[in-house]
Amino acid sequence: MLIVQKFGGSSVADVGRIYNVADRIATAYREGHEVVVVVSAQGDTTDDLIAKAHEITDRPSRREMDMLLATGEQQSVALTTMALQSRGLPAISLTGWQAGVATSSAHTVARVKKVNPQRILNELEKNNIVVVAGFQGYSPSDDVTTLGRGGSDTTAVALAAALSAQLCEIYTDVEGVFTADPRIVKSARKLDEISYDEMLELASLGAKVLHSRSVELAKKYNVNLVVRSSLTSAPGTYVKEVGSVENVMVSGIALDKNVARVTIVGVKDEPGIAFRVFSLLSKRSISVDIIIQSVGSAHTKDIMFTVDRAVHREVLDILEENKRHIMYEHIVSDDGVCKLSIVGAGMVSTPGVATLMFEALSDSNVNIDAISTSEVKISVLLDEKDADKAANAVHDAFIDTNMRFKG
Amino acid sequence: MLIVQKFGGSSVADVGRIYNVADRIATAYREGHEVVVVVSAQGDTTDDLIAKAHEITDRPSRREMDMLLATGEQQSVALTTMALQSRGLPAISLTGWQAGVATSSAHTVARVKKVNPQRILNELEKNNIVVVAGFQGYSPSDDVTTLGRGGSDTTAVALAAALSAQLCEIYTDVEGVFTADPRIVKSARKLDEISYDEMLELASLGAKVLHSRSVELAKKYNVNLVVRSSLTSAPGTYVKEVGSVENVMVSGIALDKNVARVTIVGVKDEPGIAFRVFSLLSKRSISVDIIIQSVGSAHTKDIMFTVDRAVHREVLDILEENKRHIMYEHIVSDDGVCKLSIVGAGMVSTPGVATLMFEALSDSNVNIDAISTSEVKISVLLDEKDADKAANAVHDAFIDTNMRFKG
C-alpha cells in the first residue's frame, strides 16, 4: 500500500536520529509499500534561522522569512535521502514546489490550495522512496511560502489525500495523543483513538502533537491518520471518524503558552468597530483566537483578544498606525498569559462541566483572566506562571489515570 | 543603466558585512540604476554543508548534494534582501529557478544553458532591486543544480548577458586581479585591466578571483566585467577585449592547491586505452586537467592525470570498478600536489620562457613532477609543501614589483 510517513524536527535532529528514521522508512519500503516521507527542519534549525533574520532586522518581511525558513526543510530532505541511499535504498528528495504543493500567497501562514502529485507519482513509479520537504509550498506567483507552525503535518496529510494514501503516519517524540501534556501533567494517559473533531479541538487549543489545519484536512478527505513515536514501536493513537465511541465527556486537556493578550481600551460604543479592528488584522493574515468585548465606561467599550506571541508586536504596530481610524483611548497588552482548555465531544450534554473546571482552578488558587467556550471545549486565560499548576489540577479533576472520565 | 553586482561569500559573512553590501547596492540604486544582485552563500556555509553531508555518508549523491548546497545561497539572498528592505529600499530575492537559470543536468558541475529573465524583468519593472541566488539553477527535469566552485561568478555574467546589462561588477575581498596571489607572493601587483583570454587562463589555472566559466561567458557575450573590492572604493581590474594592449609576456601567476594526481600504471600499449579511461570519467562529469602519457616497461605504458581533490576518491572508485575493462597493473595517487602556472599572451612569441621558469624553480630547490604547456601558459606540478616558495621564486623571476615584465 501507499504510506505517507512524517517525521518532525526532533526525529531528524542529528546523524544518529536521521539513520533511525532511515531504518524505519526502510522497513516499510522492504515490506513492499510505496513510501512518501515528509520531514521537518532539523532540531532547532527554524529557530536559529528566525534568530538570524532578527539579527538583520526586527521586522523582516514575511516573503523573505519564507525564503529563509524553507531552507531548513530543504536541508533535512537532502540529508535524509543521503542516509537512505547509503543504506542502499533508491530515494529522491523534493522541495515543496517540486512536490507540487500549491498554496495561498499568505506568507508564513500559507494554506495548501492544491497538490499536483505528478512528480511524486513519477518517482514512485521508478520505485523511489520520495522524501518531501514539509512546511513549504509555492504561491500563485511562484514565490516560496511556508505553512506556519506545525505545517509539516499539513504537508503530510495533504499529500496523503492527493495520493489517496492508505495511511498517514505522523512520527513524533511522544507515543501518541495524551489526555494532557505528559511533561506537565504526570498522570496524563495515552489515548488509543480519538475522533477528528476532538483532535481538532485539542490541536487548535495548543496541544502540540498535531497541527490543527492537518486535522481539518484529514477529516475533510477522510485520511487514516496515526500519531506514533519514532523512538519506540508502540502502536500510537489513531485519529478517525469514531464519533463518540468511548462516550467520554472530556477527552483531553491542552495548554497553549504561545499566547499574547491585547486589549483595546475605550473604543466608541457604535456598530462596525469590531469589523474595523479585525479586518485590519485579517488583511495581514493574522489569526485572532479568543475575542471578548466588554462594556467600559458610559459611551465606550473594551475589546480584548488573543494572538500568537510571534505576531504580538506586529499587532501593536497595526493598532498604533490605525489609531485615528479605529479611535480608541489606549492599548493594554500582555504576552505573559497562557490558555488552558478542556476538550470533549460529551461536554455539551453534560451540565456542570464548566463549574467543575472553575472549582479545580479556584481550589488551586489560580486566577482566571478570561473565559471562552464552544460546544466541545472550554478555554480559560491564565497568568503563565500558573500554567503547570492549573493543568495538573484540571487534569486531576476530569481525567482518571486509568480511564477517561465518563460523562 | 542596468548593473549586475556580484558579492562573494566573505562579503556577506556576517550582519555587518551584509549591511556594507546593502549600502553599496543602495548607492547604485539611488544613482538611478537598475540593480540585479547576485550573492554567494555566507562565509563557510558551503563547507559546513559539505561537512554535514559527509557526516551522513562519505559518498553523498551529487543530486542530493545540490539540493543541500543550494540552501546556502537561498539563505544569503533572503538575509541580504531583508537588509535592503530595512534600509527602506524595495527589494526581492529569487532562487535560481525563480530567476530562470536553466542548466544542464550535471549535478555539482552544471553548466548554464539559458537564462529566462522574465521574472527578473518583471521585478525590475516594479522598481525592485532583484537579489538572485548565485551558484544554482534548475535542470531540464526541474531538479536543483549547482554550478561548481565559483559558480556565482558565472551566474552574474550569465544574468548580465541575458539582461544586456551595461556592467557586471564582481565584488570580492581583494582589490582586483593580481599578478599572483598577494597572500603568497608579497610583491604581487594589481592589474588595471586584463584581456578575456589572459583572465581565462589565470582563472582556469586556479587563480581564485574569477571562475573560468564566467570569463568564457563574458568573452562570448562581450560582457563588461570589473573585479573590485567590496571593502574599498578602489577602481579594480577591468576584464575586456584588450588584446595584448600592454604587450606583456607574463601577465600573472596562478597557484592551484586543489589538485590530486592519479597514475594508472601498466596499461597495455594499444589504441583506445586513453579513450576508455577518460570516457568513463566524462560520463560522470569529472573534469580532467593535465594528462601525461609515458612509456612504461616493454609492452605497457603509464597514464598520469590530475583532477580536483573533491573527486579524487570517486575517480579511484571508478578506476577500481573498471579494472577488468581498462586492464592495468595498479594505481598510484597523491593528493598532496599543487599546480603552479604562468600565463601571458606574449609567451608564445618569446623564446626561453619555460627555461626561465625551470631555472627559477631549480634555484629554489623545487622539484618538478610534471609539465604541461599551451600557447599562453606553462604549468608545472609540484609537491604541495613547495607551493609558496615556488610561487614567489617564479613571480620574482618574471614580474617586477613596479611593472609587468615586458616580452
Side-chain angles (χ1 to χ4, degrees), chain A residues 344-372:
Chain A
M347 269 168 47
V348 63
S349 56
T350 315
V353 176
T355 313
L356 190 55
M357 183 179 189
F358 303 154
E359 183 185 12
L361 292 171
S362 167
D363 287 351
S364 307
N365 207 24
V366 172
N367 191 39
I368 300 174
D369 258 11
I371 300 168
S372 164

Side-chain angles (χ1 to χ4, degrees), chain B residues 228-335:
Chain B
R228 306 180 55 177
S229 165
S230 61
L231 304 169
T232 74
S233 56
T237 302
Y238 281 82
V239 186
K240 44 183 164 177
E241 204 53 86
V242 285
S244 284
V245 178
E246 296 191 39
N247 191 30
V248 294
M249 185 180 70
V250 170
S251 55
I253 286 173
L255 182 62
D256 185 357
K257 294 188 177 178
N258 183 35
V259 180
R261 185 186 53 188
V262 178
T263 310
I264 309 177
V265 177
V267 290
K268 272 201 189 151
D269 190 10
E270 63 179 29
I273 291 289
F275 170 74
R276 248 184 261 170
V277 171
F278 296 113
S279 67
L280 281 169
L281 299 180
S282 65
K283 253 184 238 159
R284 301 275 278 265
S285 298
I286 291 169
S287 294
V288 173
D289 185 18
I290 296 175
I291 299 175
I292 293 173
Q293 184 174 306
S294 61
V295 179
S297 61
H299 302 290
T300 66
K301 57 190 177 187
D302 302 339
I303 298 177
M304 188 225 77
F305 58 92
T306 62
V307 291
D308 264 21
R309 281 188 199 164
V311 295
H312 180 209
R313 178 157 192 171
E314 191 177 349
V315 168
L316 296 183
D317 286 346
I318 294 171
L319 295 178
E320 180 62 36
E321 285 160 21
N322 292 280
K323 184 162 188 182
R324 275 179 43 200
H325 174 59
I326 304 171
M327 292 187 295
Y328 57 83
E329 283 164 19
H330 61 276
I331 303 290
V332 178
S333 85
D334 184 356
D335 62 359

Side-chain angles (χ1 to χ4, degrees), chain A residues 105-268:
Chain A
S105 297
H107 284 289
T108 76
V109 290
R111 287 172 74 92
V112 177
K113 290 293 186 191
K114 189 168 175 277
V115 175
N116 174 357
Q118 200 49 56
R119 175 78 192 258
I120 297 180
L121 292 171
N122 292 347
E123 299 299 340
L124 289 173
E125 188 71 27
K126 296 181 206 159
N127 289 316
N128 275 321
I129 296 167
V130 186
V131 185
V132 178
F135 178 68
Q136 60 178 252
Y138 65 99
S139 75
S141 53
D142 275 352
D143 289 310
V144 175
T145 53
T146 68
L147 310 180
R149 272 193 308 153
S152 292
D153 294 342
T154 307
T155 303
V157 174
L159 292 181
L163 296 163
S164 304
Q166 276 82 355
L167 184 61
C168 180
E169 299 180 312
I170 307 288
Y171 285 94
T172 175
D173 51 1
V174 292
E175 292 201 346
V177 181
F178 281 70
T179 52
D181 186 338
R183 285 167 301 189
I184 294 170
V185 178
K186 287 281 164 285
S187 54
R189 193 175 65 80
K190 202 208 81 185
L191 301 171
D192 294 332
E193 56 183 25
I194 188 169
S195 72
Y196 291 125
D197 285 337
E198 289 174 310
M199 191 64 238
L200 197 54
E201 284 289 353
L202 276 177
S204 64
L205 292 171
K208 295 203 181 63
V209 68
L210 272 181
H211 190 226
S212 59
R213 172 74 176 145
S214 70
V215 185
E216 266 175 51
L217 277 178
K219 179 177 157 73
K220 185 167 175 191
Y221 294 103
N222 211 16
V223 172
N224 258 321
L225 202 60
V226 58
V227 178
R228 307 179 55 178
S229 164
S230 61
L231 305 169
T232 73
S233 56
T237 301
Y238 280 81
V239 186
K240 44 182 163 179
E241 204 52 88
V242 285
S244 285
V245 178
E246 296 191 39
N247 192 29
V248 295
M249 188 180 72
V250 171
S251 55
I253 285 173
L255 182 62
D256 186 357
K257 294 189 177 177
N258 182 36
V259 181
R261 185 186 53 190
V262 177
T263 309
I264 308 176
V265 177
V267 289
K268 271 203 190 147

Side-chain angles (χ1 to χ4, degrees), chain A residues 19 56 64 93 97 143, chain B residues 19 56 64 93 97 119 143:
Chain A
Y19 270 106
I56 297 278
E64 298 305 327
S93 67
W97 62 269
D143 289 310
Chain B
Y19 270 106
I56 298 278
E64 298 306 327
S93 68
W97 61 270
R119 174 77 192 259
D143 289 309

